[in-house]
Amino acid sequence: DIQMTQSPSTLSASVGDRVTITCRASQSISAWLAWYQLKPGEAPKLLIYKASSLENGVPSRFRGSGSGTEFTLTISSLQPDDFATYYCQQYNNAPLTFGGGTKVEIK
Amino acid sequence: QVQLVQSGGGVGQPGRSLRLSCAASGFTFRNFDMHWVRQAPGKGLEWVAVISKDGNTKYYADSVKGRFTISRDNSNNTLYLQMNSLRSEDTAMFYCARALGPFDYWGQGALVTVSS
């Protein structure tokens, strides 16, 4: 199975901050990586697919980059609605696997 | 619009069974692979199972293999997860998800609590 390692596990930031989350795969997954946002009581939301493609309706402050084994999710200017937990997922190989999550908290 | 509406879940005793349902609408259900994903309290997301568009191919996480069964009814646009031999470690929020490579739509979640 491909292991996905996210860092940091928790991140404290303020509104307006630039935030970067890293995801590393245990082997190359090309660009078959997605990023999701989870909020309590809500369905998970797809933000980014194919490493850098923005899902329809997702604000442009979210940006994904990377390929192979190293990926990042950047939020250019953190907004109040962005305080949530973020997960990366590889969909290159079965079983599909998720990173451990990054909780973005209010500083 | 695409909707995945989940039902089922609740409290189940260890060793007993529960069934989850996921009713799809707003898209051609039979054209998509479907998955179940879960999140245990305080933990991250864990993929559980996948079923192919026609229902003939199924894969499971090792943690549920032999105990859980994924199925679908394409005539009624519904996905199922039959959970047998429940264990305390199965306590989690369960989500159904549509797969287009990544999971582009998810259900609202159904809480399963395994407790005596």
Side-chain angles (χ1 to χ4, degrees):
Chain A
D1 298 2
I2 296 177
Q3 308 301 317
M4 305 299 293
T5 304
Q6 264 182 259
S7 60
S9 56
T10 306
L11 188 160
S12 295
S14 302
V15 172
D17 284 353
R18 180 184 180 90
V19 164
T20 299
I21 300 168
T22 299
C23 180
R24 291 188 173 86
S26 60
Q27 64 188 73
S28 177
I29 57 170
S30 185
W32 303 116
L33 183 104
W35 290 97
Y36 301 91
Q37 179 190 65
L38 267 74
K39 294 181 180 179
E42 296 184 14
K45 179 181 178 182
L46 174 65
L47 301 174
I48 302 284
Y49 62 96
K50 211 171 177 184
S52 60
S53 296
L54 196 66
E55 176 70 348
N56 288 340
V58 174
S60 58
R61 63 181 179 271
F62 291 92
R63 190 173 79 90
S65 63
S67 67
T69 61
E70 298 267 342
F71 302 87
T72 59
L73 173 69
T74 300
I75 308 173
S76 60
S77 178
L78 201 64
Q79 298 302 301
D81 192 47
D82 301 338
F83 291 98
T85 303
Y86 295 85
Y87 290 88
C88 61
Q89 178 211 30
Q90 67 82 18
Y91 53 101
N92 184 65
N93 279 15
L96 307 186
T97 45
F98 292 91
T102 297
K103 185 175 184 180
V104 177
E105 297 180 328
I106 300 173
K107 192 172 185 180
Chain B
Q1 73 280 22
V2 172
Q3 281 195 302
L4 296 171
V5 178
Q6 295 182 227
S7 59
V11 179
Q13 292 182 326
R16 303 300 291 267
S17 301
L18 284 173
R19 189 174 85 155
L20 303 180
S21 300
C22 173
S25 61
F27 66 102
T28 305
F29 181 67
R30 64 180 180 273
N31 287 353
F32 291 85
D33 294 346
M34 296 294 295
H35 295 250
W36 288 99
V37 176
R38 68 183 178 182
Q39 184 177 28
K43 303 291 186 183
L45 295 172
E46 178 191 18
W47 173 80
V48 172
V50 60
I51 186 167
S52 60
K53 302 174 187 60
D54 60 7
N56 288 335
T57 302
K58 307 172 186 181
Y59 294 105
Y60 300 90
D62 287 345
S63 57
V64 307
K65 202 173 295 181
R67 300 187 299 119
F68 288 12
T69 301
I70 189 171
S71 62
R72 65 191 296 162
D73 180 348
N74 284 346
S75 61
N76 286 310
N77 298 332
T78 304
L79 174 73
Y80 301 101
L81 185 68
Q82 178 67 41
M83 302 181 291
N84 297 335
S85 302
L86 286 167
R87 303 169 180 169
S88 58
E89 56 264 37
D90 295 321
T91 294
M93 183 70 77
F94 282 74
Y95 297 97
C96 59
R98 186 181 88 162
L100 195 68
F103 299 163
D104 61 343
Y105 285 95
W106 298 63
Q108 83 279 13
L111 183 61
V112 171
T113 302
V114 181
S115 174
S116 54

